[in-house]
């Protein structure tokens, strides 16, 4: 049976209170009893003669400028054990510089599609062309559970639509019968063995096959260990379905925190270290004024709010929500590129403004955003001074800015400021001395052969060292006063390849603040 939902959908345009949405005409299925009584349905028994399947196909076309989300209601009768969906859409040729078609997909159950509600059952974005949900198993990215009767909704997300429109076909297959019970969720522990107060290395922006990555949790954990990491954070796009699949990868040597990359149409944000099973909705834009609600949800769930790749050039990737709700910002995402350089300059401007206005400052961090080969897990990695290798301690170090970013496990940086009476402050701390007090800033680096150390302040770059020798290690000192430099942070850069532009980063520290101001 086929149904053309296009005309129905155009008449059903409405606003949900967040992003604009469209609801199409519903798809209905007969109950098992109706099938057996001979009611019309495309049903067939499977090999064991007990489970019966029903299939419906919906076709339609979304115009250019379609709403962010389009919902296809499916009336699910009682007795269904499996809900299976496949879909296709056209990809017409478009002129150079014009976006083509890209259609994401997900599922909400009978509890509804309300923003922040309980109906979410999974999201695969554009990574898969089919999925299924059952009590005992699901496609990665979706939540297992009983298929309860009621109105379910297939969620379509037209990411981009060509000028010709986007024609789609959705096939829904319901299978009657029982498929066992839902496995009990087991999550990673919130603590690893650790070394007490120490510097711990981590990568907090990673994707597995539970969203659009191509690696399994086991493969990612192995790569994390090989990269010298002590902790990682899971961050699948718009789904928490992978949370229950990491426990057997954690160990004394690797802390695994759970999170999500909330992937809106006006920027992405990493929820870092939330409570297991926390789902954060993504169906809103900056203009909807909904982000504060979900940032607070992240914090209530014990997580940090980390805007990701804020100046990335991919569609919908640049951060439009502002930084008032952020706990830190990802200024270095994967191999160093021009958009990271822009993010770095933008972040540095926030430091200067924080000093000038006497308000809190926003720490920086870096992550790999690795999805698949050849993406390198731990390029870059955030190195955090934490009291122990626990979720709470690592988060406290990130929030306080007691951290630096390095391109690999081989790179280490120490930045300190010392006063004349032995006063001392490190990364993320303040050296509370008078405005004209002499201060010695010291940088120690290793693993950075041929790189150049720069010291950056609220007045700009005020020190540039000679290139580090073949040993890869070096020590640099610079003298200043708080009246001349309100903060100092270190950059370690590779040799420039296109002067006068600076070389790519090998490492970056958060600042040390100088003087008796706030910070």
């Amino acid at each position: 049976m086929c149904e053309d939902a296009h005309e129905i959908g155009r008449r059903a345009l409405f606003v949900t209170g967040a992003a604009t949405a469209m609801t199409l005409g519903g798809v209905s299925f007969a109950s098992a009893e109706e099938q057996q009584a001979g009611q019309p349905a495309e049903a067939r028994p499977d090999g064991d003669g007990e489970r019966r399947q029903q299939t419906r196909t919906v076709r339609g076309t979304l115009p250019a400028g379609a709403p962010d989300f389009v919902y296809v209601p499916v009336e699910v009768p009682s007795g269904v054990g499996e809900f299976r969906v496949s879909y296709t859409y056209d990809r017409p040729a478009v002129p150079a510089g014009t976006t083509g078609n890209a259609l994401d997909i997900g599922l909400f159950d009978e509890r509804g599609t309300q923003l922040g509600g309980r109906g979410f059952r999974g999201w695969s974005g554009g990574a898969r062309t089919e999925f299924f949900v059952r009590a005992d198993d699901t496609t990665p990215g979706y939540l297992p559970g009983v298929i309860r009767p009621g109105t379910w909704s297939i969620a379509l997300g037209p990411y981009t639509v060509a000028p010709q429109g986007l024609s789609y076909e959705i096939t829904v297959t319901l299978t009657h019968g029982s498929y066992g019970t839902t496995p009990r969720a087991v999550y990673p522990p919130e603590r690893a063995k650790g070394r007490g107060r120490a510097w711990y290395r981590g990568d907090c922006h990673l994707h597995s096959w539970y969203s659009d990555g191509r690696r399994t949790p086991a493969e990612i954990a192995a790569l994390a260990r090989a990269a010298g990491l002590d902790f990682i954070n899971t961050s699948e796009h718009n789904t928490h379905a992978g949370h229950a699949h990491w426990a057997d990868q954690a160990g004394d040597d690797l802390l695994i925190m759970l999170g999500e990359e909330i992937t809106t149409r006006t920027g992405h944000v990493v929820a870092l270290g939330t409570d297991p099973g926390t789902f954060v909705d993504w169906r809103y834009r900056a203009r909807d004024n909904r982000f504060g609600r979900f940032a607070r949800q992240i914090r209530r769930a014990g997580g940090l709010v980390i805007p990701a790749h804020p100046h990335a050039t991919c569609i919908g990737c640049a951060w439009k929500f502002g930084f008032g709700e952020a706990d830190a910002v990802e200024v270095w995402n994967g191999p160093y590129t021009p958009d990271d350089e822009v993010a770095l300059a933008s972040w540095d401007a926030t430091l200067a403004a924080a000093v000038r206005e006497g308000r809190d400052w926003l720490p920086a961090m870096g992550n790999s955003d690795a999805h698949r080969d050849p993406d390198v897990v731990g390029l870059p990695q955030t190195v955090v001074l934490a009291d122990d290798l626990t979720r709470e301690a690592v988060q406290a170090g990130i929030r306080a800015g007691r951290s630096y970013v390095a391109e690999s496990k081989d790179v280490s940086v120490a930045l300190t400021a010392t006063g004349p009476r032995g006063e001392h402050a490190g990364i993320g701390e303040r050296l509370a001395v008078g405005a004209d007090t002499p201060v010695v800033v010291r940088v120690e680096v290793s693993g950075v052969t041929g790189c150049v150390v720069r010291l950056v302040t609220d007045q700009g770059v005020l020190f540039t060292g000679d290139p580090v020798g073949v040993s890869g290690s070096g020590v640099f000192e610079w003298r200043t006063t708080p009246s001349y430099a309100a903060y100092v942070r270190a950059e370690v850069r590779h040799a420039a390849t296109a002067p006068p532009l600076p070389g790519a980063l090998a490492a970056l520290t958060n600042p040390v603040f100088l003087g008796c101001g706030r910070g």
Side-chain angles (χ1 to χ4, degrees):
M1 177 178 177
C2 297
E3 302 177 13
D4 190 331
H6 175 49
E7 293 301 324
I8 297 173
R10 289 201 303 181
R11 295 196 301 269
L13 180 65
F14 70 99
V15 176
T16 65
T20 305
M22 175 189 291
T23 297
L24 304 180
V27 179
S28 297
F29 287 83
S31 67
E33 292 77 11
E34 289 173 328
Q35 283 185 271
Q36 293 170 357
Q39 295 294 325
E42 294 176 1
R44 60 180 177 81
D46 67 5
D48 63 11
E50 295 178 358
R51 291 179 179 156
R52 296 177 178 270
Q53 291 184 335
Q54 300 173 271
T55 298
R56 300 284 187 271
T57 299
V58 177
R59 299 184 180 94
T61 300
L62 300 175
D68 287 344
F69 302 101
V70 176
Y71 299 103
V72 180
V74 179
E75 297 299 329
V76 176
S78 60
V80 171
E82 180 184 85
F83 191 120
R84 184 176 292 269
V85 176
S86 63
Y87 80 118
T88 61
Y89 59 92
D90 67 333
R91 294 173 173 83
V94 296
T98 303
T99 57
N101 285 336
L103 184 62
D104 295 341
I105 197 166
L107 184 67
F108 290 79
D109 65 21
E110 85 290 348
R111 290 172 289 186
T113 61
Q114 180 181 359
L115 186 68
R118 301 178 60 192
F120 178 79
R121 289 299 289 267
W123 182 257
S124 47
R128 305 179 189 279
T129 59
E130 60 181 336
F131 65 84
F132 73 90
V133 176
R134 296 198 310 250
D136 65 328
D137 196 12
T138 64
T139 299
Y142 293 79
L143 298 170
V146 174
I147 309 300
R148 294 177 292 268
T151 303
W152 289 52
S153 295
I154 298 168
L156 302 179
Y159 186 63
T160 56
V161 179
Q164 303 96 312
L166 187 155
S167 296
Y168 61 86
E169 179 179 291
I170 305 169
T171 300
V172 183
T173 300
L174 302 186
T175 302
H176 292 263
S178 174
Y179 282 88
T181 59
T182 303
R184 183 179 67 87
V186 178
Y187 301 110
E190 296 188 9
R191 162 185 303 274
K193 188 172 183 179
R195 305 181 298 276
R197 186 173 176 84
W199 291 93
Y200 295 99
R201 295 175 178 265
D203 188 346
C204 295
H205 188 168
L206 295 161
H207 297 277
S208 76
W209 67 359
Y210 286 93
S211 60
D212 62 342
R214 292 293 179 269
R215 292 166 172 154
T216 65
E219 290 169 332
I220 292 172
L223 291 169
R225 288 181 165 97
L229 301 184
D230 301 293
F231 64 90
I232 60 175
N233 177 73
T234 73
S235 55
E236 310 296 358
H237 292 286
N238 301 337
T239 181
H240 62 301
H243 283 192
H245 299 274
W246 286 91
D248 56 353
Q249 304 307 320
D252 286 346
D253 63 333
L254 185 64
L255 172 70
I256 299 180
M257 297 183 288
L258 303 175
E260 180 185 337
E261 183 175 10
I262 298 92
T263 308
T264 81
R265 299 299 178 87
T266 49
H268 302 184
V269 59
V270 171
L272 193 164
T274 52
D275 294 336
T278 298
F279 166 66
V280 184
D281 213 322
W282 77 100
R283 294 171 296 156
Y284 43 86
R285 290 177 177 255
R287 66 188 179 211
D288 299 317
N289 295 317
R290 294 289 190 271
F291 177 66
R293 166 186 170 186
F294 293 100
R296 290 188 292 274
Q297 180 196 351
I298 293 170
R299 291 198 188 88
R300 285 196 304 271
L304 301 183
V305 178
I306 314 291
H309 45 65
H311 291 275
T313 57
C314 47
I315 295 173
C317 294
W319 185 249
K320 305 291 188 182
F321 294 91
F323 296 96
E325 296 285 353
D327 294 300
V329 58
E330 183 186 78
V331 301
W332 183 354
N333 175 277
Y336 200 74
T337 56
D339 62 274
D340 296 311
E341 189 70 34
V342 175
L344 176 60
S346 177
W347 169 68
D348 187 73
T350 71
L351 295 179
V355 167
R356 184 175 63 250
E357 298 166 9
R359 56 179 170 81
D360 291 338
W361 64 285
L362 185 65
M365 66 182 307
N367 302 296
S368 72
D369 199 2
H371 285 68
R372 61 188 67 82
D373 293 338
D375 297 352
V376 178
V377 173
L379 171 58
Q381 51 195 251
T382 298
V383 190
V384 183
L385 179 60
D387 289 336
D388 208 343
L389 189 51
T390 67
R391 178 176 78 151
E392 183 177 354
V394 169
Q395 288 175 323
I398 292 172
R399 189 186 298 109
R402 298 192 302 267
S403 63
Y404 65 91
V405 186
E407 66 179 358
S408 76
K409 64 182 179 181
D410 299 321
V411 175
S412 294
V413 182
L415 172 66
T416 58
T418 305
R421 298 182 178 178
E423 306 96 331
H424 180 276
I427 297 171
E429 298 175 340
R430 173 172 291 280
L431 183 67
V433 296
D436 296 319
T437 302
V439 172
V440 177
V441 178
R442 180 183 175 92
V443 185
E444 300 179 48
V445 296
S446 62
V448 292
T449 299
C451 292
V452 172
V453 173
R454 308 198 313 176
L455 295 179
V456 186
T457 77
D458 54 314
Q459 305 301 319
V461 179
L462 294 183
F463 172 86
T464 301
D466 294 329
V468 177
V470 294
S471 70
S473 300
V475 178
F476 302 85
E477 288 189 350
W478 177 62
R479 287 166 171 77
T480 187
T481 64
S483 61
Y484 188 54
Y487 65 82
V488 182
R489 61 178 182 82
E491 295 178 358
V492 184
R493 289 185 177 263
H494 292 283
T497 57
L501 298 176
L505 283 178
L508 162 75
T509 75
N510 276 302
V512 178
F513 291 91
L514 308 179
C516 296
R518 185 176 179 183

